[in-house]
Amino acid sequence: MYVAVKGGEQAIANAHRWLADRRRGDRQRPELEVAQIGDQLRLAVDRVMSEASLYDPELAALAFKQASGDLTEAVFLLRAYRTTLPRLAISEPLNTGDMRLERRISATYKDIPGGQILGPTYDYTHRLLDFLQLAGADVPPAEVREDVSEAEPAPGILDLLDDEGLVEREIDDGAEPADITRDPPDYPMDRAARLQMLARGDEGYLLALGYSTQRGYGRNHPFAGEIRLGQVEVEIHVDEWDETICVGEIALSECQMINQFGGTREAAPKFTRGYGLAFGHNERKTMAMALVDRALRAEELGEPVIGPAQQAEFVLAHADSVDASGFVSHLKLPHYVDFQSELDLLRRLRREHARNSSPDLGESLDRPSTEEETSARKSGQGKHDRESGVHGL
Amino acid sequence: MNQTSRRARQRLLALSTREQIESCWTTLGELPEHHYVRGPETGMAMLKGRAGGTGNAFHLGEMTLTRASIALGDGTIGHGWVRGRDRRHAELIALCDALAQHADWQPRLERDVLTPLADVLAASQQRDAATAAATRVDFFTLVRGE
């Protein structure tokens, strides 16, 4: 039987109109401006940019407003927009060592060149609701050290302070990184592709996985070696001048995690490393990313793979909130025909059950899987993922 | 007056806001005719990071990027690139690039636009550094009197 699914146009149009009305809220109050969101809700904006994998604070703020503050929806909106733009350039690798620092801390070395800079942090706040903000109290401007005329150099400290060579070094071997927006991810995946997928991964998901490693599911005893937030200049190579030029600055967060030892018969044990990098101020995300990056190096470092966070295909195939919310949300689409066939099957099974009503028929009630579920399990990913293949969105 | 290199000029103009450039711009007076030869066009740049900050490159994500190329009446070409989607900003950078190639315009561009913008940028970065410095921890050790 064919079930028509047309007929909802007017209902949909009115639903969208109601949504817009709700979003606008009480007309007695001024409408929220996109610029205010960019200014006053910047951590939400940074999260949207990071998970949408597109750095544009104004558009991320617009997406946040348009989505009524639903971060996952806002990420989807911005990710969809990015598919409309051509790629004009690929940057030189960002030099986070040259960051104009807003924050820089280390939990492993106390005295570091450039010092420990706390920056605009929620750490050390008492997590008590501030009723002055409810009352709209004035906020004093940030304190400025008038005796400081320029930033002290603050090089990355992991390599600098380890003169004994106890910490693994990160050295560029010149390998061209994969790009998961151009080529479908292929397992096993190298670290560059994994980092790209983690960088756009959902923060809550990565946080939970990182936390799981701390609780024992793939323990590797992490220390926050260095965390830095600040502005980094972006350079691209332009053919017109055959030169590398600066086209602006972006805010970045970076986490260098130091983890427990790896070593082989040939190489003496060393601290190993996990890395997190994200757009904007996204400290928690970069810490979680660094924990998961390190967990996913289990095989490379000869560790037993015992925790979910160490299983690359499981971790990476489910990290993207656009993929995940898309496949979950599709359950809302009409499944009238699918469900009809399940109903028919169930009725037949029940008829058989009644006919032979004897206690040994339990096994025939094992529900056969639908084609969709079986193949999704076989390939280890959801159906829509196989259809889209390339993470073009 | 020293001439700012093309690379340094592009960097300065990209790190300045469009409003800052425009506020210096008016002092230049009437500008030569120009037309677009490419764009202005908004697209994206894919940004690369490095594993561990110094290791192998990986693709971090994209950012919006706008470029423009203009030609003056005499055929001088200027290029400009800037993060974001501001076409006028890219056009102004391209115009500066073209004007800087003219002996007549170059000193005025240097005096009225580039020098003031460099001062503004330096002051703004100095202020950022001084604000961050106010949150730098000065460790001290309590000596126990035993």
Side-chain angles (χ1 to χ4, degrees):
Chain A
M1 181 179 61
Y2 176 71
V3 182
V5 290
K6 283 177 72 71
E9 288 94 340
Q10 193 56 50
I12 290 170
N14 289 343
H16 289 168
R17 207 169 138 177
W18 193 13
L19 175 72
D21 176 65
R22 273 270 167 96
R23 179 168 55 216
R24 173 60 183 88
D26 183 352
R27 307 297 202 274
Q28 302 297 311
R29 296 182 205 286
E31 184 175 356
L32 197 53
E33 292 168 25
V34 169
Q36 289 178 318
I37 295 172
D39 219 26
Q40 298 175 43
L41 297 175
R42 55 176 67 209
L43 298 184
V45 168
D46 287 349
R47 184 163 173 188
V48 171
M49 292 196 297
S50 161
E51 293 177 24
S53 203
L54 182 66
Y55 193 98
D56 190 310
E58 187 185 39
L59 292 182
L62 170 63
F64 186 69
K65 180 180 191 234
Q66 189 179 329
S68 307
D70 178 341
L71 286 170
T72 305
E73 182 73 18
V75 167
F76 195 168
L77 288 169
L78 193 59
R79 186 79 72 80
Y81 171 78
R82 94 164 256 297
T83 65
T84 66
L85 295 178
R87 181 179 289 179
L88 304 180
I90 297 182
S91 83
E92 297 298 305
L94 297 161
N95 186 352
T96 52
D98 276 350
M99 184 181 281
R100 289 203 299 121
L101 292 174
E102 288 160 25
R103 171 170 168 79
R104 188 277 205 107
I105 55 164
S106 170
T108 53
Y109 300 98
K110 181 164 71 67
D111 296 311
I112 48 182
Q116 307 251 4
I117 299 167
L118 303 182
T121 181
Y122 278 91
D123 294 351
Y124 325 106
T125 61
H126 294 104
R127 269 69 184 215
L128 298 172
L129 281 176
D130 177 6
F131 289 94
L132 287 175
Q133 292 201 32
L134 199 58
D138 279 343
V139 179
E143 182 67 34
V144 176
R145 288 248 325 238
E146 299 297 349
D147 60 328
V148 170
S149 61
E150 61 181 8
E152 258 183 66
I157 55 177
L158 255 51
D159 299 336
L160 193 72
L161 295 187
D162 171 37
D163 46 13
E164 288 175 85
L166 298 182
V167 181
E168 180 183 36
R169 293 286 195 268
E170 296 278 13
I171 296 160
D172 180 15
D173 70 9
E176 262 309 302
D179 183 353
I180 58 139
T181 68
R182 295 290 165 99
D183 302 305
D186 196 13
Y187 299 92
M189 201 178 284
D190 69 11
R191 190 168 175 213
R194 295 199 305 253
L195 287 170
Q196 186 180 9
M197 294 193 82
L198 294 175
R200 54 162 50 190
D202 180 79
E203 177 177 325
Y205 174 82
L206 295 181
L207 183 66
L209 284 172
Y211 179 43
S212 77
T213 67
Q214 291 181 282
R215 291 194 63 253
Y217 294 90
R219 190 187 295 279
N220 51 42
H221 204 111
F223 296 93
E226 182 172 8
I227 291 172
R228 48 171 65 204
L229 319 182
Q231 304 286 330
V232 175
E233 292 185 15
V234 176
E235 296 196 330
I236 62 171
H237 185 271
V238 294
D239 296 336
E240 289 82 351
W241 297 346
D242 194 23
E243 250 185 322
T244 299
I245 57 158
C246 169
V247 295
E249 251 182 350
I250 61 169
L252 282 179
S253 304
E254 182 186 53
C255 173
Q256 302 270 10
M257 210 63 94
I258 304 179
N259 305 68
Q260 223 162 38
F261 332 118
T264 60
R265 211 179 291 269
E266 295 78 33
K270 271 183 186 181
F271 282 115
T272 56
R273 290 165 65 166
Y275 187 64
L277 185 66
F279 291 151
H281 281 202
N282 256 307
E283 183 168 288
R284 194 190 305 113
K285 157 79 173 268
T286 58
M287 294 181 77
M289 176 174 167
L291 289 174
V292 177
D293 169 46
R294 175 58 184 79
L296 293 177
R297 297 181 60 202
E299 239 165 287
E300 168 203 343
L301 296 167
E303 295 166 346
V305 174
I306 47 166
Q310 297 169 307
Q311 295 170 16
E313 192 164 341
F314 175 83
V315 169
L316 299 170
H318 302 113
D320 189 292
S321 75
V322 177
D323 281 352
S325 84
F327 201 42
V328 169
S329 296
H330 105 284
L331 296 174
K332 293 184 285 187
L333 292 172
H335 280 68
Y336 304 137
V337 180
D338 279 5
F339 189 66
Q340 193 72 45
S341 74
E342 297 268 309
L343 279 176
D344 289 348
L345 175 65
L346 183 61
R347 288 197 187 101
R348 205 180 70 229
L349 290 171
R350 287 169 65 95
R351 274 198 304 275
E352 283 171 17
H353 181 264
R355 204 163 39 238
N356 318 307
S357 74
S358 63
D360 60 357
L361 275 177
E363 63 204 65
S364 73
L365 276 174
D366 283 345
R367 180 172 151 278
S369 302
T370 64
E371 180 272 330
E372 188 177 306
E373 288 164 337
T374 314
S375 62
R377 273 204 302 272
K378 270 186 202 147
S379 73
Q381 41 188 158
K383 181 186 177 198
H384 82 138
D385 217 341
R386 281 179 294 118
E387 280 169 359
S388 56
V390 177
H391 284 237
L393 244 193
Chain B
M1 191 179 290
N2 288 335
Q3 185 173 347
T4 312
S5 75
R6 189 166 59 179
R7 194 162 176 273
R9 188 176 60 235
Q10 155 68 35
R11 172 179 176 275
L12 171 63
L13 294 166
L15 292 177
S16 303
T17 65
R18 192 237 300 160
E19 290 78 7
Q20 286 166 346
I21 302 173
E22 278 178 334
S23 73
C24 305
W25 202 248
T26 47
T27 56
L28 280 180
E30 197 167 333
L31 295 170
E33 290 288 307
H34 71 277
H35 63 274
Y36 289 118
V37 291
R38 182 181 65 184
E41 163 185 36
T42 295
M44 298 183 294
M46 172 55 96
L47 305 177
K48 284 183 184 169
R50 288 190 180 284
T54 53
N56 282 356
F58 68 94
H59 292 113
L60 173 66
E62 281 149 318
M63 71 168 197
T64 48
L65 176 72
T66 300
R67 68 179 176 195
S69 299
I70 60 105
L72 301 181
D74 67 359
T76 311
I77 304 276
H79 304 292
W81 293 263
V82 69
R83 177 182 80 68
R85 292 167 296 113
D86 192 332
R87 287 153 185 247
R88 175 68 178 153
H89 195 167
E91 181 194 5
L92 286 168
I93 298 176
L95 256 174
C96 285
D97 182 40
L99 293 179
Q101 299 170 49
H102 274 262
D104 293 352
W105 284 98
Q106 192 274 326
R108 288 160 65 188
L109 185 74
E110 202 73 47
R111 186 193 62 216
D112 296 339
V113 179
L114 301 180
T115 305
L117 284 179
D119 292 344
V120 169
L121 182 65
S124 141
Q125 296 199 341
Q126 181 186 333
R127 187 159 188 87
D128 290 348
T131 308
T135 69
R136 186 163 52 217
V137 181
D138 291 319
F139 288 108
F140 58 90
T141 309
L142 293 175
V143 180
R144 292 190 300 174
E146 281 173 5

